[in-house]
Amino acid sequence: MFENTFRRIGTFSAKHSAAVIIAWIVVLVILAPFAPALFSDTSYNIASDIVPPNSPANIASNLQSQYFNTSNDSSFVIVTNNTSIDTITSLHALMGMQGAILSYLNRNGYRANASSIITVENDTLKSVSLSLGKELSGIYKINVNLYNEATKLNQSLSATADFLFVPAIAYVMNFTKELESGYNLSDPEKAGYQNASLVMQKFAESPYASLSPIYLSSFSTYMNKTLTPGNTTKISEIANSAVNSTSEIISQSVKSSSAFLSSEIMAVDSNLTLIDFDNMSVYRPFAENFTVNAIVPGLSNYSTVISNLNLTVRDFVHKIVNVSFEANYAQIVDLTSSEIYNGTIYQFNGNPLVSLNLKYLEPYLSDLLNNGNTNDSYINSTVNSTIYDETFQQYPVIPSQYVMGSLVGYGNTTEIFAFTLNKNYTISTLNSVNKIAASYVSVKPVDGIYYTAGTDVLSQQIEQEVMTGLVRALIIGIVLSILIVGLFFRSPVAAFLPFSLFLMSSIISFGLNDILYRYALHASVSFVTPTLLLILLLGLTSDYVVYIMSRYRRELYRNGGDPIPESSKWAGHAVFTSGITVALSYIVLYLFKVPIFSDAGITNAVGVVVSIMLANTFLIAVFKRLGYRTFWPARNRNIPMETTMEKISSVVLRNKKKIVVIFVIVAFGALYVYASTPTNMNVFSLIPPSSGIQSAVIVNQSFHGDLFFESFVILKFNSPVIVNGTYNASEMNQITKLENMIAGLSGVAKVYGPTYPYGQYVNIDKLPSNYVSTYRSQINTFIGSDPHYVMVEFELSNISWSNAATSFINSLPSKISSYMGNSITFYVGGLTAGLDAAYSHTLHTFEEMIPILAASIFVILAVQLSSVFTPLRLILMVLASVIVGLMLIYWIVYYIYHLPIIIFMPMFTFVTLLAVGLDYDIFMITRAREGVMKGMTDEEAITTSIRENGGIIVTLGSLLFVTFGSLYFSDLQLIEEIGGGLAIGVLIDTFLSWPFFVPAVMLLMKKWNWWPSKIRKA
């Protein structure tokens, strides 16, 4: 069917050859500018491309983007290993590396910032030190003032005590002495008074000078009235009472002018006596207590400042009073440092972001105080010298374990440096950064290792690997293709014709696909698409051109007439039938939205259609213009490998039943291996070991969790979790229940969520009083802008793309549902969930796609070949050949090299070979059908088809084999696997299935090959 249509197309193209050639050149020129743009529309972000759009993982990702501020602004990350921050050499190297990279970036037009343990420590120590410096300075000044005030009060108390008691003692001493010489009291009283007056002269220059007369008068009057010859033995007690009486009188006399002095006099009088006023064990406790009581009321404005030291105002004053009474001014520095030390411990208790290194904190505070002469400049200088001269073991203030855990691995030998840039950077910039890092880290005596990472870095590294591999694979494929075609036709002209049409089809296809994706679909293509498209076009275009060219040569040398009509009729029709099945296969692949590979479906379909059109029009026009020169200088009319094919056909005729039995046995054995070999979605293990991948592995090992690719659960509640700043207890209890469950699962390293804001459980009703706002702010980051949504993040113990991680995530939804019940809606997200969803989706799609694809191809072939059985037989035998090919590649990849079988490989191999593998069968069937229509028997037609098509099909198969096999040199094991599967499948179809199995079955079926049609004999 349609043979005559292609005859007419060929005749038209030959008749208007110049116009056809010019038309195609115009199309080429128009689309050429668009072709390179497809590479710029290519996405190399595997993590985002691989998630199926309707999967729970993608829904979780969309909800995360919509309701939670989870943007990561890091442009690239450097991970260093074997670089301990506890050794000065490594620490200096890391500081130098970070500073040099920032300097380089800023010099080259970037606004760059770095987030690392070094910047965090520097910022933390500087901010805390500036705050502590102000506190030290303030407390020091208060202490100095209080010291002076306490000293004055002590001096005043001491002077008051002397004023009250020293004259009285002088009186008693002289009185007693004079009394010993007689019994007359007047002389002792006079002597006592005189001695008291003499002592009182010492106070002539003191504030008590005006009070001396009152004192002497009152004291002597009391003594004269009270003393009698019978009580002189109690003179000390009487004198003490006299002091009491005198103190009251003096106190009252000064009360109006100096209330404090009045109270001081009474306090001294009330707490001291004539006997013990100069006894320090009595005097000092009284004096200290009095001084404290006197000072405390004046510090009401400093109560908050002092309470931050975890001291009451009284305790604070008592400390400095003690120092004052010791007259040890130098001790103020130590006291201040000690107070700030204890206050700092108190203030930082419960701080989720900062920890204190108590062993080194107090000496550091003394350094900061600088004997009371501290200032911001001195503090900054102290911070810088501390950062540079010490290690993390000696820093007085360090980031908390929560902060450290996100920047430094266990053992403090692995560090993460995240650099943020204001604009995109180039590969050249990244290479320069790598050189800088190497010059600091990878040299003696450090001998560390560094890895550059980040989404953009990984994408750039994959892009570099893909492009390098693509160029290498294309060069190998093109060179081998030209050699094979040249040897087959023994003509340099013929050798370069397939290559020329490949260039045209590539440029046109890339241009059309760029327009399609840029302006119609508004999407990008995945990183595998350009490689697969170019390699497929190289193989199929070469096949189509060579097949038509071979038929053209046969017709050219056969009768000497016009070879174009007959060549176009049969070869053109065969190429169209073959090509349309290939295009259909890829369209089905596109419609099923297979991650990463679905866009390869539509691009490949466009490319195949372009190749078919070029082969049936442009190539025919070129034949018309060149004629015999197409095969210059060869004049060989023999069909290549005709003798060999004759022998093969004879073997098949004699052993057709045995061949079919062998084929069935091998096919079922291959089916067993195929079905029993596990597949997965571990695509990252098949990416070259770039620094982006290696860094993730190192971080996972050093941090004991997959820090780079955190997983998460999005919860949706019927009621909001927070209303007017108040957390709803019911919802928060459910969240805690889920967080506890996840934290308790084997395979989870850390959990973060509303009640695990910093990786540890906190009671939201009992948050540390000093950091309530800090905790609430962090808690709220896990509550969405729509408060019905909550996010719980967790780090997996195993790297995200490992089988263990995938198995864990696969089982997590059922565990959550079982534990939490059905009252809550949730979605599990993250890279691992995306990979698991991609695998499930691809596997399910694969199982649905193959029957649909086979049915579609069956319909096309049934219409084209006017047969029901032949299309069915073709499809089954190609599927069997594919399974045999997969068996071999499975043995090589999985059982020998122990690499994972990515589900994409068998799927893409099936889709491609189900169509491409039919090519040679279709070429054979159409030639056999042509023979039957021209009056041959089935045996004669099949033998003729083998003899005439054998050489060309072996050539075509070799072309496809080397083309697909060139993917082995792509450097991406994912593409290498696919290339290996395709190459081995083509090899089996070319050298086993087509020459042996297909004709054996056809010979057994005979007329049933064409049922239900009855081929009309020509």
Side-chain angles (χ1 to χ4, degrees):
M1 187 178 288
F2 304 122
E3 288 90 348
N4 290 326
T5 299
F6 285 92
R7 182 187 183 97
R8 288 193 292 272
I9 291 172
T11 303
F12 176 86
S13 298
K15 182 178 180 180
H16 304 283
S17 59
V20 169
I21 292 172
I22 292 171
W24 275 109
I25 291 175
V26 170
V27 171
L28 181 71
V29 171
I30 292 173
L31 293 176
F34 295 95
L38 186 65
F39 287 99
S40 62
D41 292 335
T42 300
S43 170
Y44 296 91
N45 189 342
I46 301 177
S48 62
D49 293 344
I50 204 167
V51 184
N54 296 323
S55 66
N58 194 57
I59 294 172
S61 179
N62 291 336
L63 290 173
Q64 185 188 48
S65 300
Q66 183 176 0
Y67 296 119
F68 300 89
N69 182 20
T70 56
S71 61
N72 184 357
D73 297 328
S74 296
S75 297
F76 64 87
V77 171
I78 291 178
V79 177
T80 58
N81 194 28
N82 296 332
T83 47
S84 175
I85 57 174
D86 295 328
T87 61
I88 202 73
T89 304
S90 293
L91 190 57
H92 283 176
L94 296 176
M95 291 177 182
M97 179 196 75
Q98 177 177 288
I101 290 174
L102 288 174
S103 177
Y104 164 77
L105 293 171
N106 289 322
R107 283 198 316 271
N108 285 273
Y110 298 96
R111 289 196 302 274
N113 294 298
S115 176
S116 69
I117 191 60
I118 291 173
T119 53
V120 170
E121 171 61 27
N122 194 23
D123 294 343
T124 300
L125 186 58
K126 182 170 290 186
S127 63
V128 170
S129 296
L130 287 170
S131 175
L132 290 177
K134 292 178 181 178
E135 198 170 2
L136 281 164
S137 179
I139 296 300
Y140 179 79
K141 289 176 182 177
I142 294 173
N143 276 332
V144 168
N145 292 335
L146 294 183
Y147 178 94
N148 293 331
E149 185 176 354
T151 299
K152 290 178 180 178
L153 283 171
N154 185 29
Q155 291 171 349
S156 177
L157 278 174
S158 180
T160 299
D162 287 348
F163 175 71
L164 293 178
F165 293 108
V166 170
I169 289 175
Y171 183 95
V172 171
M173 289 175 62
N174 268 22
F175 178 89
T176 303
K177 182 178 179 182
E178 190 66 28
L179 184 62
E180 292 175 354
S181 60
Y183 295 97
N184 187 358
L185 293 180
S186 61
D187 290 337
E189 289 175 346
K190 183 177 179 181
Y193 180 83
Q194 289 176 346
N195 199 26
S197 298
L198 183 64
V199 170
M200 191 62 78
Q201 291 178 7
K202 296 178 180 179
F203 298 97
E205 302 299 327
S206 72
Y208 304 99
S210 61
L211 301 177
S212 296
I214 300 173
Y215 179 92
L216 290 172
S217 174
S218 175
F219 181 82
S220 60
T221 300
Y222 186 89
M223 293 297 290
N224 292 339
K225 286 182 179 180
T226 307
L227 281 170
T228 64
N231 62 9
T232 56
T233 57
K234 298 180 180 181
I235 188 169
S236 294
E237 291 86 343
I238 295 170
N240 196 70
S241 298
V243 170
N244 295 151
S245 175
T246 301
S247 296
E248 291 180 7
I249 293 171
I250 294 174
S251 175
Q252 289 297 321
S253 69
V254 299
K255 190 172 185 178
S256 58
S257 60
S258 177
F260 179 78
L261 179 58
S262 174
S263 65
E264 184 180 85
I265 291 171
M266 291 309 300
V268 170
D269 178 62
S270 300
N271 290 276
L272 302 176
T273 67
L274 193 67
I275 298 171
D276 59 18
F277 83 96
D278 58 351
N279 183 342
M280 293 308 296
S281 63
V282 177
Y283 171 79
R284 181 159 176 169
F286 151 71
E288 288 182 358
N289 189 55
F290 178 84
T291 303
V292 170
N293 291 335
I295 292 175
V296 165
L299 293 179
S300 59
N301 292 335
Y302 298 97
S303 59
T304 300
V305 174
I306 294 171
S307 67
N308 287 336
L309 303 177
N310 197 25
L311 291 171
T312 63
V313 174
R314 184 174 187 84
D315 289 339
F316 175 75
V317 173
H318 202 278
K319 288 177 179 291
I320 189 63
V321 168
N322 279 332
V323 173
S324 170
F325 278 37
E326 293 291 340
N328 188 356
Y329 186 87
Q331 195 179 348
I332 296 177
V333 171
D334 293 336
L335 173 64
T336 302
S337 299
S338 176
E339 288 172 335
I340 298 298
Y341 171 80
N342 291 317
T344 303
I345 294 174
Y346 167 72
Q347 290 180 58
F348 280 80
N349 182 38
N351 190 319
L353 303 176
V354 179
S355 297
L356 301 175
N357 190 348
L358 299 182
K359 180 179 179 181
Y360 296 95
L361 179 60
E362 192 164 6
Y364 180 73
L365 292 173
S366 296
D367 288 343
L368 281 184
L369 184 54
N370 192 28
N371 293 318
N373 299 314
T374 190
N375 54 55
D376 286 356
S377 176
Y378 175 79
I379 291 172
N380 286 328
S381 174
T382 303
V383 169
N384 292 336
S385 62
T386 300
I387 289 288
Y388 192 79
D389 295 336
E390 310 293 345
T391 68
F392 268 79
Q393 291 180 331
Q394 300 161 316
Y395 290 155
V397 180
I398 55 177
S400 68
Q401 187 57 50
Y402 165 76
V403 178
M404 289 279 284
S406 64
L407 297 171
V408 182
Y410 287 87
N412 290 355
T413 59
T414 302
E415 298 78 27
I416 296 175
F417 295 78
F419 293 88
T420 305
L421 278 61
N422 63 319
K423 59 182 179 180
N424 293 332
Y425 54 89
T426 63
I427 287 288
S428 174
T429 299
L430 194 60
N431 290 338
S432 297
V433 167
N434 284 328
K435 290 179 181 178
I436 294 172
S439 68
Y440 283 91
V441 174
S442 301
V443 295
K444 291 183 180 300
V446 179
D447 282 337
I449 307 170
Y450 77 93
Y451 306 92
T452 313
T455 301
D456 292 340
V457 172
L458 182 57
S459 296
Q460 288 189 359
Q461 289 172 343
I462 292 175
E463 179 181 6
Q464 200 168 24
E465 296 287 351
V466 168
M467 296 307 296
T468 302
L470 172 59
V471 171
R472 188 185 299 116
L474 272 179
I475 291 174
I476 293 171
I478 289 170
V479 170
L480 292 177
S481 297
I482 291 173
L483 286 174
I484 290 172
V485 177
L487 290 173
F488 180 77
F489 289 109
R490 294 177 175 84
S491 165
V493 177
F496 281 92
L497 263 181
F499 172 66
S500 301
L501 264 73
F502 158 70
L503 287 179
M504 291 184 67
S505 64
S506 297
I507 294 171
I508 294 171
S509 299
F510 267 70
L512 288 173
N513 280 309
D514 178 66
I515 293 171
L516 175 65
Y517 270 87
R518 186 187 296 267
Y519 301 107
L521 300 178
H522 303 289
S524 59
V525 298
S526 76
F527 68 98
V528 301
T529 300
T531 298
L532 294 178
L533 175 57
L534 282 170
I535 294 299
L536 185 76
L537 286 177
L538 177 60
L540 292 185
T541 303
S542 299
D543 268 18
Y544 297 157
V545 171
V546 170
Y547 187 74
I548 294 177
M549 197 157 52
S550 176
R551 183 59 186 258
Y552 172 75
R553 186 180 69 166
R554 185 184 303 121
E555 297 298 332
L556 184 67
Y557 291 125
R558 177 172 288 175
N559 299 318
D562 186 359
I564 287 177
E566 199 71 5
S567 301
S568 298
K569 177 180 179 179
W570 298 106
H573 176 254
V575 165
F576 172 79
T577 304
S578 170
I580 208 68
T581 58
V582 175
L584 175 65
S585 298
Y586 286 122
I587 289 172
V588 170
L589 177 64
Y590 170 75
L591 293 176
F592 273 86
K593 301 299 179 185
V594 177
I596 295 183
F597 284 85
S598 63
D599 48 353
I602 193 67
T603 54
N604 289 357
V606 169
V608 171
V609 170
V610 170
S611 293
I612 294 171
M613 295 173 66
L614 278 168
N616 278 289
T617 56
F618 182 81
L619 181 62
I620 301 300
V622 170
F623 288 162
K624 180 64 178 179
R625 308 300 292 186
L626 294 178
Y628 284 99
R629 289 172 295 174
T630 303
F631 305 101
W632 179 89
R635 293 287 181 176
N636 186 5
R637 302 187 180 194
N638 295 328
I639 300 173
M641 292 184 280
E642 183 173 0
T643 303
T644 303
M645 291 302 143
E646 284 276 11
K647 293 178 181 178
I648 289 175
S649 64
S650 298
V651 172
V652 173
L653 282 170
R654 291 195 308 268
N655 302 284
K656 50 184 177 290
K657 291 182 180 180
K658 294 178 182 178
I659 291 173
V660 171
V661 171
I662 292 172
F663 176 74
V664 171
I665 293 173
V666 172
F668 276 102
L671 181 61
Y672 172 78
V673 174
Y674 168 77
S676 60
T677 303
T679 57
N680 58 38
M681 192 57 77
N682 192 352
V683 293
F684 288 92
S685 64
L686 296 184
I687 292 174
S690 62
S691 62
I693 297 297
Q694 289 175 317
S695 66
V697 174
I698 290 296
V699 166
N700 177 253
Q701 294 170 350
S702 301
F703 287 73
H704 298 179
D706 195 349
L707 182 68
F708 280 178
F709 301 101
E710 287 187 339
S711 298
F712 58 92
V713 178
I714 301 292
L715 307 172
K716 182 182 180 182
F717 292 96
N718 294 326
S719 302
V721 176
I722 183 171
V723 178
N724 297 325
T726 301
Y727 301 113
N728 288 334
S730 175
E731 285 72 19
M732 292 301 282
N733 288 338
Q734 284 186 287
I735 294 168
T736 302
K737 183 179 178 182
L738 175 64
E739 290 169 336
N740 288 337
M741 185 211 81
I742 295 176
L745 292 175
S746 175
V748 174
K750 296 177 183 176
V751 173
Y752 302 97
T755 61
Y756 277 70
Y758 295 102
Q760 300 291 333
Y761 171 75
V762 295
N763 186 334
I764 59 172
D765 297 322
K766 298 179 180 179
L767 298 175
S769 58
N770 291 335
Y771 298 98
V772 171
S773 61
T774 303
Y775 272 91
R776 287 181 65 91
S777 176
Q778 179 74 354
I779 289 169
N780 291 343
T781 62
F782 298 100
I783 300 174
S785 56
D786 178 345
H788 292 84
Y789 290 93
V790 165
M791 178 172 64
V792 175
E793 295 180 340
F794 56 95
E795 293 176 15
L796 295 171
S797 301
N798 297 288
I799 197 77
S800 288
W801 52 81
S802 66
N803 290 336
T806 303
S807 176
F808 174 86
I809 289 295
N810 183 265
S811 64
L812 184 60
S814 62
K815 290 179 180 178
I816 294 176
S817 296
S818 175
Y819 191 76
M820 301 293 294
N822 298 321
S823 61
I824 188 170
T825 302
F826 67 90
Y827 305 93
V828 180
L831 175 61
T832 310
L835 292 171
D836 183 57
Y839 180 78
S840 299
H841 175 77
T842 304
L843 184 61
H844 179 70
T845 298
F846 188 14
E847 293 170 349
E848 287 185 342
M849 183 192 308
I850 298 303
I852 293 174
L853 181 58
S856 303
I857 292 174
F858 172 81
V859 171
I860 291 175
L861 293 179
V863 172
Q864 288 291 318
L865 301 175
S866 301
S867 170
V868 171
F869 177 77
T870 294
L872 183 61
R873 192 270 306 159
L874 282 174
I875 291 170
L876 289 175
M877 296 196 73
V878 168
L879 288 175
S881 298
V882 173
I883 290 175
V884 173
L886 288 174
M887 175 191 70
L888 294 176
I889 195 67
Y890 277 20
W891 271 107
I892 295 170
V893 173
Y894 186 79
Y895 294 102
I896 296 177
Y897 288 100
H898 305 293
L899 293 172
I901 300 293
I902 306 302
I903 185 65
F904 293 135
M905 190 269 278
M907 181 208 67
F908 194 79
T909 302
F910 261 107
V911 171
T912 301
L913 291 185
L914 185 57
V916 174
L918 287 170
D919 284 3
Y920 310 146
D921 294 357
I922 290 172
F923 294 161
M924 178 182 177
I925 292 296
T926 53
R927 182 65 187 92
R929 185 168 177 269
E930 177 189 352
V932 172
M933 292 177 69
K934 290 181 176 180
M936 296 181 184
T937 64
D938 289 319
E939 289 81 357
E940 292 171 338
I942 292 169
T943 301
T944 301
S945 181
I946 294 174
R947 185 181 69 250
E948 292 187 0
N949 281 336
I952 184 62
I953 289 180
V954 168
T955 302
L956 298 180
S958 300
L959 281 172
L960 268 190
F961 172 74
V962 299
T963 302
F964 289 145
S966 66
L967 289 174
Y968 178 79
F969 301 95
S970 68
D971 282 346
L972 285 177
Q973 289 180 333
L974 174 62
I975 295 179
E976 288 176 9
E977 275 195 7
I978 293 172
L982 293 174
I984 291 176
V986 168
L987 203 62
I988 290 172
D989 193 55
T990 302
F991 293 98
L992 293 177
S993 180
W994 174 85
F996 294 101
F997 301 138
V998 172
V1001 173
M1002 289 184 69
L1003 287 169
L1004 288 174
M1005 302 309 298
K1006 294 187 178 180
K1007 66 178 182 179
W1008 295 104
N1009 287 310
W1010 322 113
W1011 184 85
S1013 66
K1014 295 180 180 179
I1015 296 180
R1016 178 169 53 86
K1017 306 289 184 181

